Amino acid sequence: MFGLPFETTFLVIAAPALIALVLLFWALRW
Amino acid sequence: MEFNFEMMAVVAVYFLGLVAVGAWASRKVRTSEDYILAGRNLGFWVFTILIVASICSGMTILGTSGLGYVTGWPTIWEQVFVPLSAAVCLLLFGTKLHAVGRERGYLTVQDYFADRFYSNNGIRGLSAVTGILVSLIYMVGQFVAISMVLSWLFGISYHAALMISALIVTAYVIMGGLYAVAWSSLIQGMMLIVGVLLVGPAVIRSAGGLSSINAVLAGIDPNFVQPWFPDWYPGAAAPYAGYAFATPIFLVSFFFLLSFGLASAPHVINNVFAARDAKYFKWAPLAAFSVYVVVMYLVKITGFAGRAMETEGQIALPSGVSNPSDYVFVLGAEHAFPSIISVLIGVIVLAAVMSTTDRLMLTIGTYFGWDIYKRFLRPDARDSTVTFVSRVAVAVAAVLTLILAWSNPPALLAWLIWMGIGLMLACYVAPLLAGLYWRRATREGAIFSMGLGLLGAGVAGYWYQFVHVLPVHFSLYGFALSILAIVVVSLATAKPSEEVLDGTMTGPYIRKRQARGEGGPGLKR
């Protein structure tokens, strides 16, 4: 996708998404 | 760039706006708490954007796109780790520091260290002097970046640009303290976000779109589209090219350096005391991270676009400067827009630089006025004197920085700035984490941790710059030493009193559950 290898595409999207999920979890557990 | 009147007018209006904010804020400053912490009265968005704008500097904008130009995708992790530092600062450090700070009346993070490690002079002095030193180093870098951009955009001399920008920032920081810094950061943060959202996609489009950019990058070096460069240590003496430093093991050290080092930076962490309400720490980590990561990804990809455009002959980087890649953001934007709109670029970079510079200046002023003057030299000083001394210290810091930045980019500038962040990681992170979450951490452990951390990072930094390239970022050696020191020395010295530990909410939890008859203070939550 976007002319990038699958591994790169996956990591550059998954990493920030995972962090955002953890921070969302923190807010919802407050 | 040709000098033009409209551009000067836009920047003049922007500068006048900042001075107006300073004048408005100066009327709200009555006590030293108003000057240093905006009366602990910042609302949610002012507070959240202040955290992001303090971290996000002019070096961030120019350096991020420049690094994208030089290294391609393997350093995209910097744009994950830096926004993460805002969340680490808010969640891991800020939630508890804000709660304890409000209860015990802290004005700076040194107040916390002095309280938790029951040492008014030793640890306060070490922490404050380190904070002033790294903030000064950092500020020189900011001023060089600001002057570079201003002189490029307006065709005025580097020194004229330096004087103008320093005068404006110094004026509103002296007038309004954190009130002025926070509200001007809101304006600057908004301009930065809107500006990058407009400029980024336009530059990427004018370079032919993301797929086309990546095809050009892969043609230059196939590793440019990989998530990291191949490992070289210990098989080889150095990576295959100077730009191929971002190997998996290096990226691990980069994670600690950025996500924890920046989160503990004096100009970032002291903001947590200024939030009006403890509830802000619920959503602020997600809000700060999300806004920041989108902006940084766009800036980075703008750097990739610049590399593709240069390869295809659409733009040419300046020759005869020591850091041509730092101009890629400005040049890419100039190519994508007719010249009149390029004033926008100048304002974006200016906003980013000034929103960090003002916070650094205020940090130096308050560390001197509060930690050194009031808490060390003259404990009986009147409150109005403390504010006055802080303001004088801001002015002195500005003059000192001007002198250091006067000789246009010192060749060691980039190294100095990395040194600054590296020293923060090695000095503050272990005592902060151990102080907040480990009841066994002692005064002696904290002092040894800070001292050995600084020493380790200093030696490794010197080694990396002047002796031989290292497989991980040099600050990691100092950080490892500081962790080792606080664990070993703490276990070898007397346990802190229960009174201190309970008063500073020390223990393996982030937030004390409200007293509703459920759960105890030891609950992880």
Side-chain angles (χ1 to χ4, degrees), chain B residues 39-350:
Chain B
R40 300 179 199 272
N41 200 21
L42 296 181
F44 181 83
W45 283 107
V46 178
F47 171 65
T48 303
I49 296 292
L50 173 64
I51 293 276
V52 172
S54 297
I55 302 173
C56 182
S57 63
M59 304 298 289
T60 314
I61 299 289
L62 300 176
T64 294
S65 48
L67 190 64
Y69 169 92
V70 173
T71 67
W73 284 92
T75 53
I76 188 77
W77 297 98
E78 188 191 31
Q79 281 58 64
V80 177
F81 299 156
V82 171
L84 181 57
S85 74
V88 167
C89 175
L90 287 162
L91 202 163
L92 220 48
F93 300 152
T95 309
K96 190 179 282 189
L97 276 177
H98 176 269
V100 184
R102 175 146 293 210
E103 208 166 277
R104 318 266 286 190
Y106 301 157
L107 287 185
T108 66
V109 75
Q110 274 73 248
D111 286 341
Y112 169 72
F113 280 142
D115 193 10
R116 167 65 181 83
F117 293 117
Y118 39 96
S119 148
N120 184 43
N121 296 343
I123 202 153
R124 182 190 295 278
L126 195 55
S127 176
V129 169
T130 304
I132 289 174
L133 192 68
V134 295
S135 297
L136 267 176
I137 292 175
Y138 221 76
M139 208 155 88
V140 173
Q142 298 300 327
F143 268 140
V144 170
I146 205 170
S147 309
M148 208 176 91
V149 171
L150 275 181
S151 63
W152 172 262
L153 283 172
F154 301 133
I156 55 177
S157 81
Y158 172 84
H159 290 139
L162 196 57
M163 288 301 291
I164 294 169
S165 49
L167 274 175
I168 299 285
V169 177
T170 312
Y172 73 77
V173 173
I174 287 181
M175 282 196 288
L178 190 62
Y179 270 118
V181 170
W183 282 94
S184 61
S185 283
L186 185 68
I187 300 172
Q188 290 155 341
M190 287 301 162
M191 292 171 77
L192 176 70
I193 292 164
V194 171
V196 168
L197 289 178
L198 283 173
V199 169
V203 175
I204 294 163
R205 211 176 306 125
S206 79
L210 197 48
S211 297
S212 151
I213 292 168
N214 287 329
V216 175
L217 287 181
I220 302 170
D221 180 340
N223 284 323
F224 275 178
V225 292
Q226 295 298 324
W228 39 69
F229 286 104
D231 268 318
W232 56 271
Y233 186 83
Y240 71 87
Y243 59 75
F245 58 86
T247 62
I249 185 169
F250 182 89
L251 288 168
V252 170
S253 67
F254 222 37
F255 162 74
F256 286 111
L257 176 71
L258 296 169
S259 295
F260 286 85
L262 273 176
S264 72
H267 63 285
V268 179
I269 196 165
N270 284 293
N271 293 326
V272 303
F273 298 119
R276 182 188 304 153
D277 192 333
K279 284 205 296 282
Y280 292 172
F281 291 86
K282 175 179 177 178
W283 287 106
L286 182 62
F289 175 78
S290 308
V291 169
Y292 204 172
V293 84
V294 169
V295 169
M296 292 321 291
Y297 263 53
L298 272 175
V299 171
K300 184 77 162 198
I301 296 171
T302 305
F304 301 158
R307 183 66 185 254
M309 284 151 82
E310 195 219 24
T311 307
E312 298 182 327
Q314 292 173 283
I315 61 171
L317 293 190
S319 53
V321 294
S322 62
N323 48 350
S325 64
D326 285 350
Y327 286 87
V328 72
F329 185 82
V330 182
L331 288 166
E334 253 188 329
H335 179 81
F337 288 107
S339 68
I340 181 74
I341 302 186
S342 61
V343 67
L344 193 63
I345 317 149
V347 172
I348 293 173
V349 180
L350 274 180

Side-chain angles (χ1 to χ4, degrees), chain A residues 1-5 7-9 11-13 15-17 19-24 26-30, chain B residues 73 76-77 80 84 87 91 210-211 214 225-228 278 281-283 285-286 289 297 510-511 525:
Chain A
M1 205 157 72
F2 310 125
L4 287 172
E7 190 187 25
T8 310
T9 310
L11 286 170
V12 301
I13 294 172
I19 293 168
L21 268 178
V22 170
L23 297 175
L24 180 68
W26 156 258
L28 293 176
R29 275 200 65 195
W30 184 280
Chain B
W73 284 92
I76 188 77
W77 297 98
V80 177
L84 181 57
L91 202 163
L210 197 48
S211 297
N214 287 329
V225 292
Q226 295 298 324
W228 39 69
F281 291 86
K282 175 179 177 178
W283 287 106
L286 182 62
F289 175 78
Y297 263 53
I510 292 181
R511 207 165 64 89
R525 192 179 155 97

